[in-house]
Amino acid sequence: METTERSFDTNVQLLKYKVIKGVVEHFDKGTLESAYRDIPLAIAPGPKPTMRCCVYKERAIITERVRMAMGGDHENPNAIEVIRIACDECTVNRYHVGSACRGCIAHRCEHACPTGAISVHDGKAHIDQEKCVECGRCATACPYSAIMKYTRPCENACKIKAISMHRDNSAKIDNDKCIACGACVYQCPFGAIVDKSFVLDALTMMRDSENNAKYRVYAVVAPSISSQFSYAKTGQVVTGLKKLGFHSVVEAALGADMVAYDEAAELAEKGFLTSSCCPAFVAYVKSAFPDLANHISHNPSPMEAVARFIKRTDPTARCIFVGPCTAKKMEFQQEACTGIDCVITFEELQALFDARGVTIEHLEESVLDNASYYGRIFARSGGLSDAVAQALKEHGISEEQFQANPIACDGIEECRTALFKARKNMLPNNFIEGMACIGGCIGGAACITHGPKDKSEVNKYGQLAKEKTILDAIAVTRI
């Protein structure tokens, strides 16, 4: 079975994979200057189009994908960008009259419309889109539910309303609202919204290390790695990373242990806290609930925490995070993020493996044993809450002294509800675990597959380190 067939669940992901794989191959050959010409021709050879109206438009869009795979618009600070030439197929008007309309004589829809946009003739209601203000009153009034609301997939995916329609009808991202969660990236059926890639930065970093002689390059892998490469074992993926040129592979879950231990103490001290682990959630609190920003834990994310530890022990080290998160691509560029030097995703890692002919399923397993059970289960919703409860015990803080009452918010909508209640002093909980993606990190936008995720896979991966306490895991970082 081909790697591409077993690895991706949409053709948009497959196309993204082909582009990144092509960029890596051109980097390795030293022919990046011709990538803009060669990759579109290789993917869309013609003469007949397979994705768009003509092969020339296909190639033009693929050229833009190559640009994104090579870093995107450096003037745009957002990690998520819109390829406007690719965004031209979605319906513009939100409300439409469907076949269920009976042309009734009540005309409730017509009377409900405040702008006179609806008329009934030829046995059916009709909407004048020039007059429609998309208030939705007609849809509410129709007894047959015949008037339907169509929302663009990207707008529907964006639960914080950061996406609107540009004057040319393409999608437009409000960078002041966007939290770079990447939900729109996966949901756009045409792949017109893309997370820019830093894979060239990662490759350059590894090449310039001169086989880790000049400085060492560390891969910091997210604990959700256990649910990604279904055709290989986690230990084989670790070996594969080393074959790519990484000096060592370290679990971000070790950073999760560090954060859980410190966050538990901070919670006990302050009495109310929101988590700091998910960069999209943190960005959302700061932009939409700035009055609650002072309640965000002062601890760094697990990714950053373990990278800082690595650089304390190896000051010349370079750290590259590998995970399922597009928001991490925003986080590592922030001034406060001093540990991580670059971020690549699991999607990009798959392309990197295949571009260099590393068949991980045929490799021997390497040991990955940095973290505890509790650090590893950060990958799924509720894992952080469980870890903080355990950390309180390991601090020796009894329930009589302080009792944690966490709420695990699974997705940004649940986060919003909890934050609204906290703002109004109506939230009974004293710790908000915020995860922007449904399911937690295992549901991240840059996962290789996006079907229903089984949390038991993460728990099973965690069980391999069950004999360790959080203190056992972080002992090495306290020396």
Side-chain angles (χ1 to χ4, degrees):
M1 183 181 289
E2 292 293 329
T3 302
T4 52
E5 290 179 356
R6 72 187 174 204
S7 298
F8 301 110
D9 54 14
T10 75
N11 286 340
V12 169
Q13 282 185 289
L14 177 58
L15 178 58
K16 184 177 182 181
Y17 158 87
K18 288 179 178 179
V19 170
I20 294 172
K21 181 171 177 282
V23 167
V24 174
E25 290 168 343
H26 276 275
F27 175 89
D28 287 346
K29 290 185 291 186
T31 56
L32 276 177
E33 68 280 356
S34 65
Y36 284 105
R37 181 193 67 239
D38 295 346
I39 295 174
L41 286 173
I43 295 175
K48 293 183 178 181
T50 60
M51 297 175 284
R52 298 287 182 156
C53 58
C54 68
V55 71
Y56 304 105
K57 185 168 185 177
E58 287 183 348
R59 290 172 184 166
I61 292 172
I62 295 169
T63 298
E64 287 299 295
R65 293 187 181 282
V66 173
R67 179 181 64 83
M68 290 297 294
M70 294 173 68
D73 181 3
H74 297 289
E75 299 298 317
N76 185 350
N78 202 337
I80 312 295
E81 293 184 22
V82 177
I83 299 176
R84 288 170 63 178
I85 190 176
C87 182
D88 62 355
E89 300 290 344
C90 294
T91 184
V92 174
N93 303 308
R94 289 181 183 271
Y95 289 92
H96 295 262
V97 180
S99 58
C101 178
R102 302 294 298 276
C104 67
I105 63 173
H107 295 192
R108 286 191 175 93
C109 58
E110 186 176 15
H111 293 299
C113 181
T115 62
I118 295 185
S119 59
V120 182
H121 53 86
D122 301 325
K124 189 175 181 180
H126 298 266
I127 300 176
D128 183 341
Q129 299 294 349
E130 294 294 322
K131 294 181 179 179
C132 179
V133 294
E134 300 181 349
C135 65
R137 295 180 188 176
C138 57
T140 302
C142 178
Y144 292 104
S145 299
I147 301 178
M148 295 164 285
K149 180 182 180 181
Y150 291 90
T151 305
R152 288 182 168 198
C154 57
E155 290 185 66
N156 192 50
C158 183
K159 304 306 180 183
I160 61 168
K161 303 186 184 304
I163 295 182
S164 60
M165 195 184 303
H166 197 273
R167 59 180 175 272
D168 65 357
N169 294 328
S170 64
K172 180 181 179 181
I173 299 174
D174 184 340
N175 285 351
D176 292 331
K177 289 183 179 180
C178 181
I179 57 176
C181 68
C184 57
V185 174
Y186 179 69
Q187 289 299 333
C188 177
F190 287 89
I193 306 179
V194 185
D195 55 308
K196 61 179 66 170
S197 176
F198 295 93
V199 70
L200 287 183
D201 299 73
L203 293 174
T204 300
M205 205 173 293
M206 287 191 283
R207 181 195 64 195
D208 293 350
S209 76
E210 298 175 5
N211 292 320
N212 293 293
K214 190 175 180 181
Y215 54 81
R216 293 170 178 172
V217 183
Y218 294 77
V220 177
V221 295
S224 51
I225 194 170
S226 62
S227 65
Q228 291 300 301
F229 297 87
S230 58
Y231 61 92
K233 297 176 181 178
T234 300
Q236 292 175 312
V237 181
V238 174
T239 304
L241 284 163
K242 291 177 180 177
K243 282 191 172 294
L244 290 177
F246 286 100
H247 167 72
S248 185
V249 181
V250 181
E251 292 185 85
L254 172 58
D257 282 319
M258 297 163 67
V259 170
Y261 192 75
D262 291 341
E263 208 153 76
E266 187 180 4
L267 172 60
E269 177 189 346
K270 296 180 177 177
F272 177 78
L273 209 62
T274 73
S275 63
S276 61
C277 300
C278 172
F281 170 70
V282 171
Y284 181 59
V285 176
K286 290 180 177 179
S287 63
F289 296 87
D291 51 317
L292 296 177
N294 62 315
H295 293 294
I296 301 171
S297 170
H298 285 77
N299 286 283
S301 68
M303 170 189 84
E304 175 66 7
V306 75
R308 290 180 187 179
F309 162 66
I310 291 170
K311 289 187 173 181
R312 285 200 304 271
T313 58
D314 186 353
T316 66
R318 302 290 189 275
C319 297
I320 298 175
F321 178 76
V322 185
C325 182
T326 55
K328 290 293 185 187
K329 293 182 177 184
M330 292 287 281
E331 181 188 355
F332 95 90
Q333 298 181 79
Q334 295 171 358
E335 188 176 342
C337 193
T338 58
I340 289 293
D341 299 288
C342 187
V343 169
I344 63 173
T345 66
F346 289 136
E347 287 180 323
E348 292 161 350
L349 179 60
Q350 179 68 82
L352 187 49
F353 279 144
D354 294 342
R356 292 188 166 175
V358 179
T359 52
I360 57 176
E361 65 270 36
H362 297 151
L363 300 176
E364 293 183 358
E365 291 187 68
S366 293
V367 175
L368 192 62
D369 186 25
N370 306 118
S372 78
Y373 164 82
Y374 292 98
R376 288 180 171 183
I377 63 172
F378 264 55
R380 50 105 169 143
S381 177
L384 169 54
S385 295
D386 292 346
V388 167
Q390 172 65 20
L392 285 169
K393 294 177 184 177
E394 295 191 29
H395 271 288
I397 300 173
S398 66
E399 291 189 2
E400 288 74 24
Q401 294 172 292
F402 179 81
Q403 186 168 2
N405 182 17
I407 178 171
C409 299
D410 191 3
I412 207 66
E413 289 179 299
E414 288 190 10
C415 293
R416 181 193 297 118
T417 300
L419 291 167
F420 266 123
K421 289 181 178 179
R423 171 183 278 172
K424 300 290 185 181
N425 293 318
M426 297 172 61
L427 186 72
N429 313 90
N430 57 16
F431 180 68
I432 299 176
E433 175 196 311
M435 293 283 194
C437 297
I438 299 294
C441 300
I442 56 174
C447 285
I448 292 176
T449 58
H450 292 259
K453 293 296 194 310
D454 187 356
K455 293 183 180 181
S456 66
E457 285 299 314
V458 174
N459 291 338
K460 195 184 302 179
Y461 177 54
Q463 288 289 344
L464 297 176
K466 191 64 176 177
E467 73 282 358
K468 282 186 181 181
T469 64
I470 293 175
L471 277 171
D472 287 336
I474 66 174
V476 65
T477 72
R478 303 277 159 157
I479 297 173

